[in-house]
Amino acid sequence: MMGRPPSDNPKSLKIEIRADQETISTLDAAAKKLNMTRSDIVRKGIEKIYDDLQ
């Protein structure tokens, strides 16, 4: 049976946030403009904040 190959970095952990409609709309607009998923945008944001702290 063929399927997706195993990932080198599986995304098995989940986080949940509370957000207002404006934040979700902003997230969706950024995701659409950059052709990325919501999760990709959030991961990028976390990386950027972390890098800024270094």
Side-chain angles (χ1 to χ4, degrees):
M1 181 163 95
M2 295 185 67
R4 294 181 74 162
S7 172
D8 291 336
N9 186 17
K11 313 282 191 294
S12 58
L13 300 174
K14 290 185 178 190
I15 62 171
E16 185 175 334
I17 65 162
R18 295 176 68 90
D20 59 22
Q21 185 56 53
E22 182 179 358
T23 301
I24 297 299
S25 295
T26 302
L27 175 60
D28 288 341
K32 183 176 182 178
K33 186 166 190 165
L34 296 170
N35 196 29
M36 298 170 74
T37 65
R38 284 178 172 179
S39 294
D40 291 336
I41 297 292
V42 171
R43 282 191 289 269
K44 274 277 209 213
I46 292 168
E47 289 172 12
K48 181 171 179 14
I49 294 294
Y50 183 79
D51 289 347
D52 289 351
L53 293 172
Q54 300 309 306

